[in-house]
């Protein structure tokens, strides 16, 4: 059976890997290459790299960073996001070494473009990045450029329903970067069924990761800087999550 | 000892960089090209793929690579299709309407249902004796697809279990397809890819 994925998430701002806290403060970590290379070596199941300043400044995807990451000869699946607004950009990102792309701003600006992206790279390569908060059972979708939230529109759900997007990265943006902060209601009360979810934002401990990964709609959990701050974090988490259908740690077997 | 020359068929829709990097890592030379003269000198042809079937076949035809690949298979040139590349080896696909494939391995590509995607790490299981896959039986590899092969069992080599069995590998003589991505399956992927490239010509 398919394993649930422990995913390393790398946030990039101004070409630097950063620790993002609640979508508002950013602490530099270093060159993205080092962070991503470590995640690859440690055997996470997937790496998601998101350049958070590209759409904001209308710069398109940061292909130079992607080229540098690709030159690392990664052997871990790579999902790349940030600034991807057109099908042509989506194809470029795939050609440069990403297996999948993450889309966010284009969903706000022009969701019709998803049809052309899907036609060229396939729905399996499309992941929607959805920063959410929940209030009175209503899901609010955060637009990081306007810094405002709106109720999650049905037209975006329809993109899933039509099979154009394969997975949703559900980000607890308010708790992002905080210790054990992920609000599991974002998963349990997610109103739309039959969408495969990746949870991210404030996930760093085995108990919370276990609770999230045991939800049937969850196919993966994203962990950010915690993986870089702790020795053997990937192996420790994978060992602790062995009852959650996570692929066993491979790192120790290679040394 | 002969040094293998591997050609990655470039039809402009694929993860060429990833595959080239992995092949270099496991110690082989390779070149990415759509030049038929150059590809004709290669010992093994790789058909990679991340994308959708129809634009991929259109791109292959536009470059005149469809008849070239069929001719290469006829002359027993080993061909390895990966992910979408495997699907392109079939007779055709129902992805976004029906499109003809290369027709190198009988069978068709149909949409997955319930769930509509097979994304992530899954173990493969060998369905029949095949020395190319024996050492990877039961190992976990990275899959990422929404359509799957359906065809005669005689061409099916490996499967993966989701809600139901999904064909993970197909083979007809020296034409081989693998639905998963060995280039993105960490150590096990490299071991398998190295094994396939070194043995495919004689297996």
């Amino acid at each position: 059976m398919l394993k649930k994925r422990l995913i390393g998430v790398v946030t990039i701002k101004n070409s630097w890997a950063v620790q993002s806290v609640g979508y508002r403060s950013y602490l530099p970590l270093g060159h993205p290459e080092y962070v991503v290379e470590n995640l690859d070596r440690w055997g996470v199941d997937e790496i998601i790299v998101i350049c958070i300043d590209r759409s904001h400044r209308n710069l398109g995807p940061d292909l130079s960073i992607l080229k540098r990451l690709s030159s690392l000869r990664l052997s871990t699946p790579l999902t790349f996001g940030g600034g991807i607004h057109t099908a042509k950009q989506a194809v470029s990102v795939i050609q440069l070494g990403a297996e999948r792309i993450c889309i966010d701003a284009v969903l706000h600006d022009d969701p019709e473009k998803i049809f052309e992206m899907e036609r060229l790279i396939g729905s399996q390569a499309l992941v929607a990045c959805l920063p959410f908060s929940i209030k009175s059972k209503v899901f609010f979708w955060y637009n990081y450029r306007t810094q405002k939230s709106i109720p999650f529109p049905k037209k975006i759900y329809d993109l899933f329903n039509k099979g154009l997007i394969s997975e949703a990265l559900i980000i607890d943006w308010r708790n992002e970067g905080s210790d054990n902060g992920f609000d599991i209601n974002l998963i349990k009360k997610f109103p739309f069924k039959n969408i495969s979810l990746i949870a991210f934002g404030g996930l760093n401990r085995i108990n919370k990761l276990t609770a999230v990964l045991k939800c049937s709609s969850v196919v993966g959990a994203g962990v950010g800087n915690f993986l870089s701050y702790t020795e053997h974090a990937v192996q420790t988490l994978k060992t602790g999550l062995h009852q959650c259908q996570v692929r066993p740690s491979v790192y120790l077997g290679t040394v | 000892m002969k040094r293998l020359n591997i050609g990655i068929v470039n039809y402009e829709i694929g993860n060429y960089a990833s595959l080239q990097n992995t092949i270099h890592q496991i110690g082989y030379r390779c070149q990415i090209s759509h030049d038929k003269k150059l590809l004709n000198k290669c010992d093994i042809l790789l058909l990679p793929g991340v994308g959708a079937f129809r634009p991929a076949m259109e791109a292959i035809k536009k470059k005149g690579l469809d008849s070239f690949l069929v001719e290469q298979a006829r002359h027993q040139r080993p061909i390895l299709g990966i992910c979408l590349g495997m699907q392109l080896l079939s007779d055709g696909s129902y992805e976004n309407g029906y499109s003809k494939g290369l027709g190198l391995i009988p069978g068709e590509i149909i949409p997955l249902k319930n769930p509509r995607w097979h994304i992530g790490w899954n173990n493969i299981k060998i369905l029949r004796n095949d020395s190319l896959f024996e050492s990877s039986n039961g190992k976990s590899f990275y899959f990422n697809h929404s359509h799957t092969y359906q065809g005669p069992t005689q061409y099916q080599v490996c499967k993966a279990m989701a809600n139901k069995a999904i064909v993970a590998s197909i083979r007809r003589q020296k034409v081989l397809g693998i639905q998963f991505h060995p280039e993105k399956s960490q150590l096990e992927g490299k071991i398998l890819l190295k094994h396939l490239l070194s043995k495919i010509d004689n297996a």
Side-chain angles (χ1 to χ4, degrees), chain B:
Chain B
M1 184 178 160
K2 189 186 173 190
R3 196 172 174 190
L4 282 179
N5 187 16
I6 295 160
I8 299 177
V9 180
N10 182 3
Y11 56 96
E12 294 181 354
I13 299 178
N15 57 339
Y16 307 106
S18 300
L19 192 57
Q20 185 182 40
N21 285 335
T22 304
I23 289 169
H24 285 160
Q25 248 180 331
I26 59 177
Y28 290 115
R29 288 186 301 181
C30 74
Q31 37 204 333
I32 303 171
S33 180
H34 57 79
D35 182 338
K36 285 171 270 209
K37 282 183 185 170
L38 198 151
L39 291 171
N40 192 39
K41 292 175 185 168
C42 294
D43 301 299
I44 299 172
L45 295 176
L46 296 191
L47 196 57
V50 173
F53 192 100
R54 182 187 291 271
M57 268 316 292
E58 285 171 356
I60 284 174
K61 284 179 183 170
K62 196 175 171 185
K63 293 185 181 302
L65 290 165
D66 51 340
S67 52
F68 169 77
L69 287 166
V70 170
E71 196 64 21
Q72 293 290 309
R74 191 174 294 145
H75 288 100
Q76 298 295 305
R77 177 91 65 205
I79 299 175
L80 172 59
I82 296 174
C83 194
L84 174 63
M86 165 183 136
Q87 299 184 358
L88 295 170
L89 302 174
S90 71
D91 290 326
S93 168
Y94 289 93
E95 184 173 7
N96 292 327
Y98 188 80
S99 312
K100 271 191 167 182
L102 293 167
L104 297 177
I105 299 181
E108 290 181 324
I109 305 304
I110 59 168
L112 286 167
K113 286 177 184 167
N114 301 320
R116 290 192 278 202
W117 296 276
H118 181 232
I119 299 170
W121 294 77
N122 206 343
N123 299 341
I124 63 167
K125 186 177 178 186
I126 295 183
L127 295 167
R128 59 180 167 90
N129 285 338
D130 193 315
S131 60
L132 289 178
F133 288 92
E134 269 167 13
S135 58
S136 293
N137 193 24
K139 305 291 187 188
S140 200
F141 296 91
Y142 178 71
F143 291 80
N144 184 22
H145 59 117
S146 58
H147 287 67
T148 186
Y149 172 85
Q150 178 180 265
T153 53
Q154 70 189 93
Y155 301 114
Q156 300 178 19
V157 184
C158 299
K159 69 173 181 178
M161 285 306 298
N163 279 0
K164 59 178 186 176
I166 289 173
V167 176
S169 176
I170 54 177
R171 182 178 179 190
R172 186 184 191 188
Q173 298 171 350
K174 292 184 181 180
V175 178
L176 179 68
I178 46 180
Q179 183 61 72
F180 48 92
H181 288 272
E183 79 281 12
K184 286 300 175 99
S185 296
Q186 300 177 351
L187 183 64
E188 290 301 338
K190 287 176 194 161
I191 291 170
L192 174 63
L193 193 56
K194 189 167 189 175
H195 190 68
L196 294 180
L197 294 176
S198 62
K199 305 287 184 193
I200 189 171
D201 203 18
N202 300 313

Side-chain angles (χ1 to χ4, degrees), chain A:
Chain A
M1 295 301 287
L2 274 175
K3 312 288 189 297
K4 300 215 174 188
R5 285 126 61 193
L6 181 66
I7 300 168
V9 180
V10 181
T11 305
I12 296 177
K13 189 172 191 290
N14 295 327
S15 301
W16 289 90
V18 295
Q19 178 183 6
S20 170
V21 180
Y23 271 47
R24 59 183 180 274
S25 63
Y26 306 97
L27 303 169
L29 286 176
H31 290 290
E33 294 95 308
Y34 297 132
V35 180
V36 169
E37 189 174 35
N38 282 338
L39 293 173
D40 183 51
R41 205 159 41 84
W42 295 335
V44 291
D45 299 316
E46 180 179 340
I47 300 169
I48 296 178
V49 173
I50 303 177
C51 305
I52 59 171
D53 54 346
R54 305 299 291 188
S55 291
H56 206 69
R57 294 155 60 189
N58 212 13
L59 295 172
D62 193 337
L63 299 181
S64 64
I65 280 189
L66 182 56
K67 279 180 193 168
R68 297 207 301 273
L69 296 179
S70 189
S71 70
L72 299 172
R73 301 179 173 183
L74 304 176
S75 56
T76 302
L78 177 67
T79 300
F80 191 83
I84 303 170
H85 276 254
T86 67
K88 192 178 174 188
Q89 290 169 340
V91 170
S92 298
V93 168
I94 296 297
Q95 285 178 335
L96 285 173
E99 276 62 49
R100 311 175 79 197
I101 67 165
C102 218
I103 44 176
D104 183 342
V106 69
L107 292 170
H108 289 276
D109 297 345
D110 194 354
E112 290 294 311
K113 286 183 176 172
I114 308 306
F115 287 85
E116 181 65 0
M117 288 186 186
E118 187 272 342
R119 191 184 72 79
L120 289 179
I121 66 171
S123 58
Q124 83 292 334
L126 285 167
V127 181
C129 188
L130 303 174
F132 275 142
S133 57
I134 185 169
K135 190 177 179 183
S136 304
K137 296 183 182 176
V138 177
F139 273 68
F140 286 90
W141 184 31
Y142 185 66
N143 184 335
Y144 68 92
R145 292 171 299 170
T146 60
Q147 299 188 358
K148 289 179 181 168
S149 291
I150 58 168
F152 188 53
K154 187 176 175 297
K155 65 178 179 182
I156 303 301
Y157 168 67
D158 286 343
L159 296 175
F160 287 98
N161 209 22
K162 288 174 181 166
L164 298 171
I165 299 172
S166 53
E167 292 181 349
L169 176 66
I170 304 294
I171 303 176
D172 184 351
W173 65 273
R174 287 181 167 165
N175 286 310
E176 185 216 17
S178 63
D179 178 35
N180 212 26
F182 188 84
D183 181 358
I184 199 163
N185 284 325
L186 292 175
I187 299 296
K188 288 190 170 174
K189 295 184 178 175
F190 191 66
F192 305 112
K193 305 303 172 192
N194 303 321
I195 296 179
S196 297
L197 307 179
I198 300 169
F200 175 62
L203 284 171
N204 61 345
R205 295 195 188 186
I206 287 169
N207 60 345
K208 189 63 73 76
L209 281 162
T210 299
V212 164
L213 287 169
K214 288 210 166 175
C215 296
S216 59
S217 57
V218 172
V219 295
V223 182
N225 305 303
F226 173 76
L227 296 178
S228 299
Y229 289 154
T230 312
E231 287 288 318
H232 305 296
V234 174
Q235 290 69 47
T236 305
L237 289 180
K238 282 195 166 229
T239 302
L241 297 171
H242 70 280
Q243 290 182 323
C244 301
Q245 302 170 345
V246 171
R247 187 174 63 113
S249 170
V250 293
Y251 178 60
L252 288 176
T254 63
V255 295

